[in-house]
Amino acid sequence: MTGAGAAWAKEIVLPEKNPAVTLTIPDDWKTEVRDTEVVSTSPDGDVSFEVGFETRADRDSLVKDKVSFLRKQKVNLSIKPVEQAMDFGGTPARVQRYRTTDKYGKTIVDLVTLDASRDRALLMTIWGSEDQRQANEAALDTIMKSVRVPAETGGSSNFWSGGKTAAKPETKPEPKVEMKSEPAAAGLSPSVAAAQPAPAKPYATRRALYVARKAADFGDVEARPSNVFKPGEPLLTYIEPVGEATQSIGSDQIGFGVIVDFEVRTAEGKALATQKSMIDRDVTVKRAEGEPNFFLNLSLDLDGFPPGNYVLVYTLRDKLSGRTLDVPQPFTIAQAATDKAAGASPAAPSPAPAAPATPPASVQTTVVDG
């Protein structure tokens, strides 16, 4: 959440149970969450962002309805759009960009379609002129990089602000594989891990969100309605990694491994608490078509953190390829409730104070299950 004047962003889960998409939108954007779509407008009223989903069978109807709506708003869609294929963190997407006009003059409309979870399709619409988009560049970049479907999405800020450079998945230099002195569990040999080439598929997440309870099984998700927590309330996170490197173990099994670090930061990016290798796990599963259904339930207890805005960043490290993946999750610790029994008079809520400059007393972390 960077950029001059950019407001703190809130997480939106659509729908709350079995989400098709999660994303964050700055608080100062006017946002309406409906049953199957989110409609949001920039504070200056110049840029519109919408995201909706339907079954894959109804993908064409989803686009057709949006085109019909835009035409009613006097957007000229009679021109041929420029089409681009993009890779959104492992999920292929199709972008149709209309450099056209509306009733106010020149404008740009992007229609972005991609497969969401299971049998659902997602449509994102961005509408605003190049100047208007550039004025809201930081917020658009925040929104597009926060969108998560079966694989984590992102994109270059230059493209979504109206530039002509195609968005590409963000990549990081391949780090060296960390060698451990103890033997790896589940038959994962460190020597084999070091020689294992990184797979072609990006290391990403299907889903990563705060949840109301731990998942009993893969996909058993009850999304938390808000990323605002009471003082002392644990932060429960559900993550589905994808794209991990695997190796054969015998004729009917495969193995893979993950190491999880975490860091709690202020809204400005200052690190307050860090723990390396809170999880170091090797997994063996039966060989099957497709990727393993692997998930993590993570719990974080923050002891002594005052009210304020923070970012929790889990870093996943693929043990066989050495690749890393950051999973940022903004959150807020609310003010303690007013003690009415003590005779305190009601008062209007005040903004949460800034995060502390020094690390709080302690942080406790646990892997619940998964």
Side-chain angles (χ1 to χ4, degrees):
M1 322 320 159
T2 60
W8 186 254
K10 58 186 175 184
E11 185 176 61
I12 293 174
V13 180
L14 184 72
E16 288 189 6
K17 292 187 177 181
N18 190 22
V21 59
T22 63
L23 68 158
T24 55
I25 297 180
D27 281 336
D28 58 354
W29 281 50
K30 183 179 179 181
T31 302
E32 182 180 355
V33 182
R34 302 168 184 169
D35 291 340
T36 60
E37 67 178 349
V38 176
V39 179
S40 189
T41 308
S42 59
D44 54 19
D46 290 334
V47 177
S48 171
F49 171 82
E50 300 179 17
V51 57
F53 72 92
E54 284 290 352
T55 63
R56 291 187 188 179
D58 293 326
R59 179 192 285 110
D60 291 344
S61 296
L62 187 65
V63 176
K64 184 178 179 180
D65 290 345
K66 183 58 63 179
V67 168
S68 176
F69 168 79
L70 290 167
R71 283 176 172 159
K72 290 179 180 178
Q73 304 303 310
K74 308 302 181 183
V75 179
N76 178 15
L77 298 181
S78 61
I79 65 172
K80 185 177 180 179
V82 176
E83 296 193 11
Q84 296 192 45
M86 294 186 182
D87 182 273
F88 275 56
T91 299
R94 175 180 175 229
V95 180
Q96 293 178 291
R97 168 161 286 184
Y98 293 85
R99 288 187 176 271
T100 184
T101 58
D102 58 18
K103 60 184 178 181
Y104 300 108
K106 292 183 179 181
T107 193
I108 303 173
V109 174
D110 291 319
L111 300 179
V112 186
T113 53
L114 64 160
D115 288 339
S117 56
R118 298 181 183 176
D119 65 341
R120 293 177 289 192
L122 200 72
L123 171 64
M124 293 182 286
T125 306
I126 305 174
W127 175 15
S129 72
E130 189 163 354
D131 289 343
Q132 292 166 343
R133 289 175 180 231
Q134 289 176 357
N136 292 277
E137 181 173 3
L140 283 172
D141 190 35
T142 293
I143 294 170
M144 296 307 290
K145 285 184 176 179
S146 74
V147 176
R148 288 190 177 87
V149 288
E152 189 174 10
T153 67
S156 70
S157 58
N158 174 268
F159 185 83
W160 302 121
S161 63
K164 298 180 180 180
T165 304
K168 296 180 180 179
E170 293 186 358
T171 58
K172 295 183 179 181
E174 296 293 333
K176 296 180 180 179
V177 175
E178 181 179 354
M179 303 299 292
K180 291 182 172 292
S181 58
E182 69 271 23
L188 301 186
S189 166
S191 61
V192 173
Q196 181 80 8
K201 187 165 185 179
Y203 192 34
T205 59
R206 285 190 188 92
R207 287 186 284 184
L209 65 157
Y210 290 122
V211 291
R213 57 171 175 79
K214 73 173 186 178
D217 201 354
F218 181 83
D220 176 35
V221 177
E222 183 179 339
R224 200 176 190 278
S226 169
N227 64 345
V228 179
F229 295 83
K230 300 176 183 177
E233 184 179 8
L235 280 63
L236 296 178
T237 298
Y238 174 89
I239 300 177
E240 291 178 8
V242 294
E244 52 273 291
T246 62
Q247 68 175 18
S248 296
I249 301 177
S251 60
D252 64 345
Q253 291 184 321
I254 59 173
F256 58 94
V258 63
I259 296 173
V260 181
D261 310 330
F262 88 86
E263 186 170 85
V264 178
R265 304 170 183 168
T266 66
E268 294 74 28
K270 178 181 176 62
L272 298 177
T274 301
Q275 182 176 329
K276 298 291 186 181
S277 301
M278 67 172 286
I279 297 172
D280 188 339
R281 175 165 293 186
D282 295 303
V283 181
T284 302
V285 296
K286 289 185 177 180
R287 188 183 302 278
E289 293 184 2
E291 293 183 280
N293 287 337
F294 177 59
F295 70 99
L296 293 166
N297 275 321
L298 304 173
S299 177
L300 187 69
D301 292 322
L302 303 179
D303 185 13
F305 274 67
N309 297 321
Y310 304 88
V311 180
L312 167 61
V313 181
Y314 284 115
T315 299
L316 279 58
R317 288 182 278 159
D318 182 8
K319 294 182 72 171
L320 290 182
S321 71
R323 294 178 301 168
T324 62
L325 168 66
D326 286 342
V327 184
Q329 293 185 288
F331 70 96
T332 298
I333 296 180
Q335 295 276 7
T338 303
D339 189 357
K340 295 182 179 180
S345 59
S350 58
T358 57
S362 66
V363 179
Q364 296 181 356
T365 61
T366 58
V367 53
V368 181
D369 198 7

